[in-house]
Amino acid sequence: MSQVSTLTKKKLTVRGQRTRLELLEAAEQVFGERGFEHSSISEITRRAGVALGTFYVYFPHKQAIFTELVDELGERLRETLNAASKDKTTRLEKERAGFRAFFEFAGKHRNLYRIVRQAEFVDAEVYHRYYKRLATSYSRGLTRAMQVKDIGTYDTEVIAYALMGIADFIGMRFVVWEDPAALERVTDEVVHFIQYGLLSPQRLGPLSGPLPASYGEGDKK
């Protein structure tokens, strides 16, 4: 989150923090439904249930609340992912928990994709910051796993962005575009791919552990 917004949050009363959150939640709805250009401060305050003048106590203009919203969503997402994976032992367990937590977060914040994509054109700096902070946190976890030989040796920034890309598109296809009824199966498929990759069992060579019973069934067809 930006330095200005962090300082502002620290100075707010409990009631002020609640009002700020209500404005951000309303902005998430409005920007997601109407897009930045067609959204208005009056509509945000109407949905938040506060007076128009109250908006300017917390944000100087429309772009300020948009930028704050992207930062806020990014912070909440990182906290959600960290909380979901912190008690897991292996990197693969952490990946499963993290992917599942991301899919659930995207299901709860169904305007997340629209808002983040708009950020590229509204405020490129916050757009880059959203992904860079997520990748930095991800990369740190991968580095720790690499240091204890839980995963192979990689450029962890590259792998972080690769895995983020998988999560991004799988979430869009199976969470945002339709009812995520098959979320468990989809998560299993993603983790399976992370563990074993694209190669068939015949080409994988020696493995440190057994393959799932269903693995390679496609090669028999």
Side-chain angles (χ1 to χ4, degrees), residues 6-208:
T6 301
L7 291 173
T8 301
K9 285 173 66 176
K10 288 181 179 179
K11 293 178 180 178
L12 293 176
T13 63
V14 173
R15 181 178 179 182
Q17 291 175 6
R18 184 169 62 248
T19 301
R20 172 187 168 278
L21 181 60
E22 289 169 349
L23 284 165
L24 286 168
E25 289 176 345
E28 184 178 348
Q29 295 174 13
V30 176
F31 288 136
E33 293 170 8
R34 301 189 175 188
F36 179 81
E37 292 297 330
H38 298 289
S39 297
S40 66
I41 292 173
S42 60
E43 177 63 14
I44 292 171
T45 55
R46 186 187 70 78
R47 294 207 194 185
V50 302
L52 181 62
T54 302
F55 177 91
Y56 296 99
V57 174
Y58 301 91
F59 306 100
H61 44 69
K62 185 172 73 170
Q63 184 167 333
I65 193 172
F66 181 87
T67 297
E68 179 73 4
L69 176 61
V70 176
D71 275 336
E72 183 84 9
L73 286 170
E75 182 176 334
R76 290 185 201 173
L77 175 57
R78 294 193 303 275
E79 289 174 350
T80 297
L81 299 179
N82 289 335
S85 62
K86 69 177 182 179
D87 294 330
K88 305 303 178 184
T89 304
T90 68
R91 188 64 218 178
L92 199 63
E93 290 172 345
K94 290 179 182 292
E95 290 298 332
R96 174 184 290 278
F99 271 91
R100 184 58 188 262
F102 173 75
F103 297 150
E104 291 176 354
F105 186 91
K108 181 179 179 181
H109 298 272
R110 300 192 71 82
N111 289 316
L112 174 69
Y113 280 82
R114 291 180 180 178
I115 290 167
V116 173
R117 279 164 172 69
Q118 289 176 61
E120 182 178 8
F121 306 100
V122 176
D123 186 339
E125 183 179 346
V126 75
Y127 175 72
H128 294 158
R129 185 164 66 232
Y130 173 88
Y131 285 109
K132 284 180 179 178
R133 287 179 173 176
L134 189 57
T136 297
S137 178
Y138 210 149
S139 183
R140 280 198 296 264
L142 292 170
T143 298
R144 287 193 293 269
M146 193 169 65
Q147 289 169 343
V148 298
K149 311 298 183 185
D150 195 19
I151 62 173
T153 301
Y154 300 101
D155 180 327
T156 56
E157 183 182 13
V158 172
I159 300 304
Y161 275 98
L163 293 172
M164 285 163 53
I166 292 173
D168 191 47
F169 278 92
I170 293 294
M172 181 173 63
R173 167 63 179 84
F174 292 99
V175 178
V176 177
W177 288 2
E178 62 182 52
D179 181 24
L183 208 52
E184 192 65 31
R185 180 191 67 79
V186 170
T187 304
D188 286 344
E189 199 73 21
V190 170
V191 175
H192 189 178
F193 171 75
I194 292 172
Q195 186 172 14
Y196 298 110
L198 290 172
L199 295 181
S200 67
Q202 291 78 11
R203 300 192 63 184
L204 277 171
L207 293 169
S208 58

